[in-house]
Amino acid sequence: MRSVALILALLAAAPALAQQAPASPALPTLSPQDRDRADALLIEALAHLLADRRKEAAPLLRDAIAIAAPPGDNAALQGDGRFDVFKRWIDARTAAMEARDYAGFAYWAWLIAADRLLAVADSRGISGADPITAETFDDIYYMAYGYALAGDAARFRQFAAPILAAPRPDAEIAFAKDIAQRSMSMRNWGGERKPMAEALATLALSVFDRPGGRAAEPVRSLWNLVGSMRRTSGDIAGARAAYAKARVPGAPLDDAEIALMFDAGETDAAIAAVRARFKLAPTAPLSLAATDALIEIGGQTGGGQTGTIAIYRIAYDSYRRLLKPGDRKLESAGSVLARAYLDSGDPGASEAVLIPLLASAEKRWGPESNGAIDYAVALATAIERQSRYGEAELIYRRVWDLSVKYDSYDSTDSNDSFAGIARTLIARGMQGDALAFTADGIARVRKAQDVNGWRRMYYLLTRAMVLETAGQLADAESLVREAVALGDPDDKLNVAAGFNDPNIDSRDRLAALLEKQGKAAEAEPIRRLILRSIEKQDMIPWEGEVRGEALLALATNLTLQGKAEGSDLFSARVAASSRIYGADSPQLLDVAEPYARALLRSGRAGAALTPARIALAARTSARFTGDAARASASDIALGRKRTEAARLMVEAAWKASR
């Protein structure tokens, strides 16, 4: 397990990554001695309340609040102003969280917890003495959460200590459950706080996963969460250890553990576990129920396409044996497998799966059916990825011709085929044909009445791409601005998590065109808007590809302008990628190559040498070598990228020497 010190450093550093947020309320000046004394009083009172000794707790809580509360609030608490003071504390706690001022949040949560416990100790309930239950201490759990976010593990542990020592187990269970739920919520919905989820879970485990611990179920939930996070980061061994701790002793492997075996390439062992679950003989073919379970396990894979491909290849073959052509389960498994092959850089394997799926759809529904058209576009994409542009264009044309035939352009397939034809023409150097085709297509789309705004935006972006390739940058910019105008205004921009979003894509294209025309300063506000909009969407992880690309695009823009902030962003990403993934990783390449190119474009060839060297070293490392005797399309593409990296290095060195 990573050290708690490192985890706390990550927790403390995370707020620095955030964009500007509303100001947090100012905190009163409190000396370290007063703070420690107030903590000691609250902790002592907490121990008394856990034992239902209210009389002993009440004076301790009053003294604690008197020490810690802002000047003037103590007097108001004794009179008619108590409600106003308490409301102000609640508002301040909320504002501090919104401002990501976690130390401030913990302070206001401390006061609120102390005052609410004093109400219990004083029996100020409406119908007499409030019963003391695990929920009585909810505000203590919330306050401890704030200390964890602020990186203050010592205070988290101090307030956990009396709860762990109490004879009653319910508070410990409730505390652990509260933190486990917050860790999972942060992981799923935490926005910029997502990277802090593992740190919070790890700290919680260091407190609750102990000899004699009484929160077994929340601890298992925390280990499951840690396993999921480690799995998706590619840490197979760490995920396996976490899942083992999450499992009830003696219980069989669950879906997540079997999925992890597929991710690790242990396909035979994973299939054996599935067979054992359904009491099948070691060499027996999978039953329909076992195959269905395999698909469920597929939903637990992560950290790349390895596990997904292994699972769906077996499931697809099993369904072909068990089901009739056209069965929905069979079609769905084939579609997922084809997409996984494509995403993993193996379009040839994707093509092999899609051909029979397309033939089956055409036979059952006809070549003009929606099902057949979907497979046709997917097949064309797989063929295009193999640089067989003429073949791909023929299939794209078949789909586009149906759109023209029925004068219907409001579908994803129409849009995709339009863009596919444009790309294949450009790839073959047929620029004039691409210009003519997209001009005709745009005229048809403009005339059509039933094309929705988002789809119109993508049609315009395709035409703009062709104009840009032809060097007609002003005309391309005009079309992109038209696309932007069709979408949401800047102040209403809301990124659609998990989907292509023309509001973002059109602005990204506009910024790129401005940068290409030497107008990086004009593009900078657009780049910042895109990044800010992405970071506001809680469903988009900060460590993910979407935000990463937007951050690198902003770094490129700032570097083109010669601003130090651009180099700082790139340098921080280079350092982080090297530290986390290694100096020869593909994650590092994603940063080093655009950094070197931005420096070259800005005329700083000497500075470009360092990131260019990093890119070349990574491209030629052992992690990127393949079996030459079994070279695939992705191997060939990788070889081209090595050549590009070498060319980049030579270009930087040559320009730097002039």
Side-chain angles (χ1 to χ4, degrees), residues 529-566:
L529 173 65
I530 292 172
L531 181 60
R532 187 166 62 250
S533 301
I534 289 170
E535 290 178 342
K536 283 168 57 180
Q537 170 55 261
D538 283 352
M539 292 183 68
I540 299 177
W542 271 41
E543 71 275 20
E545 181 180 356
V546 174
R547 177 179 178 265
E549 289 181 352
L551 190 64
L552 291 181
L554 174 61
T556 297
N557 175 280
L558 296 169
T559 303
L560 290 175
Q561 296 182 66
K563 291 186 176 182
E565 184 186 353

Side-chain angles (χ1 to χ4, degrees), residues 358-413:
L358 174 59
S360 174
E362 288 181 332
K363 182 178 180 180
R364 284 179 295 120
W365 302 318
E368 295 188 4
S369 64
N370 289 333
I373 290 172
D374 287 346
Y375 286 128
V377 172
L379 178 60
T381 303
I383 292 172
E384 180 189 351
R385 296 277 182 89
Q386 298 174 71
S387 302
R388 289 155 48 197
Y389 301 117
E391 293 177 58
E393 185 197 344
L394 288 175
I395 302 176
Y396 284 134
R397 290 272 184 189
R398 164 188 153 183
V399 177
W400 178 252
D401 287 347
L402 288 174
S403 301
V404 173
K405 176 181 177 181
Y406 294 107
D407 195 26
S408 177
Y409 307 96
D410 190 33
S411 73
T412 300
D413 295 325

Side-chain angles (χ1 to χ4, degrees), residues 580-592:
I580 297 170
Y581 302 108
D584 57 353
S585 68
Q587 291 87 351
L588 181 58
L589 280 167
D590 292 340
V591 185

